[in-house]
Amino acid sequence: MQISQVSLAVLEILPRGASEGIELLWRLIRAGRRGTRAFLWPFCALELNPGEWKEGGEVALCEHLSLAIGFISNIIALGIGLPYGAAAAWYGGAVDFVLIRIIEIINSVPNLLLGILIISVLGPGFRNVLFVFAVTGWMGIARLVRGQFLSLREQDYVLAATCIGVPNYRIIIRHLLPNTLSPIIVSVTLGIPGAILGESGLSFLGIGINPPLPSWGRMLNDYLSAIQSHWYLAFFPGLMIALAMYAFTLMGDGLQDALDPTK
Amino acid sequence: MIPTVIIITVAVFWMLKLAPGDPLDLLLAGNPDISPEHVERIKKLYGYDRPIYEQYGRWLWQVVQGNLGYSRIYHRPVTEIIPDRLINTLILTGSSLIFSLLIAIPIGVYTALRQYSLLDYLFSFLSFFGIAMPVFWFGLILILFLSIQLKLLPPGGHYSLEREVGILTVLRYSIMPVIVLSLFSMASWMRYMRSGMLEVIHEDYVRTARAKGLAEGRVIVRHALKNALIPMVTLIALSIPGLISGAVLTETIFSWPGMGRLIYDSLINNDFNIAMAVFLIFAFLVAFFNLAADILYAFIDPRVVYT
């Protein structure tokens, strides 16, 4: 119940766009299992055997897995991207050149193809899917951190700190990082729907999360062949992906406006 | 450009070699009587006993000579398979690129000029939805309504299956894939165009243009739009890899015989030569578009000087 109090407190502080997004997301998490069953129930009761409508619960479990993939992979991506970008900006010169070239090279391979390639080497499964999004997600954050650091490094207060003999690591932690925080938060929030969409894409191709664990994308693919007779089986998993994406995008956009000091 | 492509092929080559199941596994599984000496002999024949860098060197040397190898699942040379597929994918991605630009730029400009109007709100809602909508789900909905309910368009496949191929059949088959693939880029470019235009429209030179009595249309097109388009060039070049990713999914839903489907099949079936060839071509395409964007950038923005 602590979480709900925190989220209520957050709701009051943030402007409308962000709070709408969080609220939608919160409802999605809370009402997940029951809600999606209620969605499917009228259709299931009409046409399916009782055995077949376990799927309603499955739609809800998928959302937990998708959210887990979204959050964890972005935290890993942050863990790689932040030090990487900081190192590129702080050392500059040849180090910067090499680090940025590496990002450019990885970026020029389409993300989904890189995902399929990694999955074909490691095999499908929850952990490997996480790995895919950690690998494909950190470049954006690294670029962002580098850009921010480069512009912040020229600020007077950094010069002042250097003059009075503050060590490098302390300048980075106390002066540069706090000022980079808000764009990073926005970038991570917008990275989560990306990972969710990517996961459902991989699962849609049949190489995402392994069968005992449910996935929206996989369900969509499984029921694609039954689309003529039971259209809703493939329709609702897709709707859930779209709703989750919509909630996160709205939240990211709201946060962007809320954290932008120039507005 | 060339070093980037070479580094990508090295990395992909190495990863594919790490993948479980080399080409000989299939041979062994299909023939239980094969003796270890035969396996060794075949390995030597194809060079699989050599170290990886030597195998890569051989592959690269063959590619330079125009030989991309032989496909294991299609039993044809790769150079015969690729061109048709490449053309299909280029048709799909190219037309959706043009389609989304044709829609996104006018709407972006309009919503910036009429900020906070009803249509502005409508389009910004639609663009959010376009970004949130998974490609494969949108495709599914279109198939449900347009092909299954209304029976207007074929649910998938390629126009070359029809007996007569006219402009109408090509349109009938490609209209849904193009719309589905365009949706995401259209929605995001619309938003970028709107914010870019909003930024430019409050600049001093736009006010100057208005003050000297230019017609409003001329101010918008010649002074504002031209400057708002500059950042779009980079954005479009950067979105090419994403468009290719989207093409893989779109081609899967509509069974469109293109490169995306080809690479998926080849990676899953461990068809080494095709996978390498497709990655090589995609790497070239992306590098080419980045270069084109840089050149175009200098061309449309005279302030940019390359040293």
Side-chain angles (χ1 to χ4, degrees), chain A residues 101 104-114 116-123 143 197 200-202 204-207 216-217 220 223-224 227-228 231 234-243 245-247 249-250 253 256, chain B residues 3-4 7-8 11-12 15-16 18-20 125 128-129 131-137 140-141 143-145 148-149 184 191 238 240-242 244-246 248-249 252-253 260-261 263-264 267-268 278-279 282-283 286-287 290:
Chain A
R101 258 324 98 79
E104 264 174 20
I105 287 169
I106 303 177
N107 257 345
S108 68
V109 180
N111 273 357
L112 190 67
L113 292 190
L114 194 60
I116 299 175
L117 181 65
I118 292 173
I119 292 287
S120 76
V121 175
L122 298 176
R143 277 198 159 157
L197 191 67
S200 59
L202 279 182
F204 176 74
L205 290 173
I207 51 174
W216 284 326
L220 229 166
Y223 298 128
L224 206 56
I227 188 175
Q228 301 231 18
W231 58 271
F235 181 81
F236 285 108
L239 183 70
M240 296 315 286
I241 305 173
L243 277 182
M245 288 281 297
Y246 185 66
T249 320
L250 212 59
D253 218 57
Q256 195 161 27
Chain B
T4 314
I7 291 172
I8 288 175
V12 173
M15 282 176 82
L16 284 176
L18 282 180
F125 172 76
F128 262 121
F129 214 73
I131 291 170
M133 197 104 86
V135 169
F136 39 89
W137 191 57
L140 186 97
I141 294 175
I143 291 178
L144 259 173
F145 284 108
I148 294 177
Q149 293 290 320
F184 182 83
R191 292 182 58 201
L238 283 177
I240 297 295
I244 291 173
S245 287
V248 177
L249 292 169
T252 308
I253 316 166
R261 201 54 209 166
I263 190 150
Y264 174 73
L267 281 173
I268 293 308
V278 177
F279 269 106
F282 277 159
V286 172
N290 283 340

Side-chain angles (χ1 to χ4, degrees), chain A residues 104-152:
Chain A
E104 264 174 20
I105 287 169
I106 303 177
N107 257 345
S108 68
V109 180
N111 273 357
L112 190 67
L113 292 190
L114 194 60
I116 299 175
L117 181 65
I118 292 173
I119 292 287
S120 76
V121 175
L122 298 176
F126 185 77
R127 210 178 301 168
N128 294 342
V129 170
L130 263 185
F131 180 72
V132 166
F133 294 113
V135 167
T136 53
W138 62 270
M139 284 96 72
I141 294 173
R143 277 198 159 157
L144 187 83
V145 171
R146 174 178 171 270
Q148 289 284 324
F149 268 38
L150 280 182
S151 66
L152 288 176

Side-chain angles (χ1 to χ4, degrees), chain A:
Chain A
M1 294 316 99
Q2 278 176 333
I3 303 175
S4 73
Q5 278 163 6
V6 171
S7 78
L8 277 180
V10 171
L11 285 184
E12 278 168 17
I13 300 167
L14 292 173
R16 240 186 74 236
S19 61
E20 261 173 29
I22 293 177
E23 208 179 296
L24 190 54
L25 191 77
W26 182 241
R27 280 208 195 128
L28 206 73
I29 296 170
R30 280 292 292 275
R33 187 171 294 239
R34 247 179 311 149
T36 37
R37 245 198 206 146
F39 261 142
L40 278 181
W41 187 78
F43 301 104
C44 298
L46 279 178
E47 291 179 49
L48 294 179
N49 315 322
E52 278 174 281
W53 45 289
K54 271 190 311 204
E55 307 293 351
E58 221 171 78
V59 176
L61 180 57
C62 299
E63 149 226 306
H64 294 297
L65 285 179
S66 292
L67 287 181
I69 285 194
F71 276 109
I72 302 173
S73 64
N74 269 283
I75 288 169
I76 301 173
L78 187 65
I80 307 173
L82 193 67
Y84 193 97
W90 193 258
Y91 293 110
V95 179
D96 187 34
F97 181 81
V98 171
L99 291 182
I100 285 303
R101 258 324 98 79
I102 292 174
I103 288 185
E104 264 174 20
I105 287 169
I106 303 177
N107 257 345
S108 68
V109 180
N111 273 357
L112 190 67
L113 292 190
L114 194 60
I116 299 175
L117 181 65
I118 292 173
I119 292 287
S120 76
V121 175
L122 298 176
F126 185 77
R127 210 178 301 168
N128 294 342
V129 170
L130 263 185
F131 180 72
V132 166
F133 294 113
V135 167
T136 53
W138 62 270
M139 284 96 72
I141 294 173
R143 277 198 159 157
L144 187 83
V145 171
R146 174 178 171 270
Q148 289 284 324
F149 268 38
L150 280 182
S151 66
L152 288 176
R153 217 176 52 164
E154 307 298 321
Q155 300 285 330
D156 287 340
Y157 57 82
V158 176
L159 187 65
T162 322
C163 286
I164 58 172
V166 180
N168 276 351
Y169 74 92
R170 214 177 144 74
I171 293 180
I172 290 180
I173 291 171
R174 291 302 293 268
H175 296 279
L176 296 187
L177 268 185
N179 283 306
T180 334
L181 217 55
S182 60
I184 289 178
I185 291 173
V186 171
S187 162
V188 169
T189 324
L190 289 175
I192 291 171
I196 291 178
L197 191 67
E199 180 273 320
S200 59
L202 279 182
S203 299
F204 176 74
L205 290 173
I207 51 174
I209 295 174
N210 274 335
L213 294 174
S215 152
W216 284 326
R218 188 171 201 104
M219 290 172 76
L220 229 166
N221 186 26
D222 283 350
Y223 298 128
L224 206 56
S225 49
I227 188 175
Q228 301 231 18
S229 52
H230 301 78
W231 58 271
Y232 46 83
L233 283 178
F235 181 81
F236 285 108
L239 183 70
M240 296 315 286
I241 305 173
L243 277 182
M245 288 281 297
Y246 185 66
F248 270 110
T249 320
L250 212 59
M251 187 168 101
D253 218 57
L255 277 177
Q256 195 161 27
D257 288 345
L259 297 173
D260 190 354
T262 59
K263 278 187 183 169

Side-chain angles (χ1 to χ4, degrees), chain A residues 104 107-113 143, chain B residues 92-94 96-98 100-101 104 131 135 181-190 192 231-248 282 285-291 293:
Chain A
E104 264 174 20
N107 257 345
S108 68
V109 180
N111 273 357
L112 190 67
L113 292 190
R143 277 198 159 157
Chain B
L92 186 64
T93 45
S96 79
L97 189 78
I98 294 167
S100 36
L101 280 179
I131 291 170
V135 169
L181 185 55
S182 318
L183 186 75
F184 182 83
S185 43
M186 205 187 329
S188 52
W189 291 347
M190 210 187 278
Y192 281 115
M232 287 294 283
V233 173
T234 327
L235 204 68
I236 290 163
L238 283 177
S239 69
I240 297 295
L243 215 55
I244 291 173
S245 287
V248 177
F282 277 159
L285 272 183
V286 172
F288 172 76
F289 272 102
N290 283 340
L291 190 70

Side-chain angles (χ1 to χ4, degrees), chain B residues 39-50:
Chain B
V39 176
E40 280 309 307
R41 196 175 57 81
I42 295 169
K43 268 193 174 171
K44 208 167 193 134
L45 183 66
Y46 290 117
Y48 287 126
D49 55 340
R50 302 303 176 103

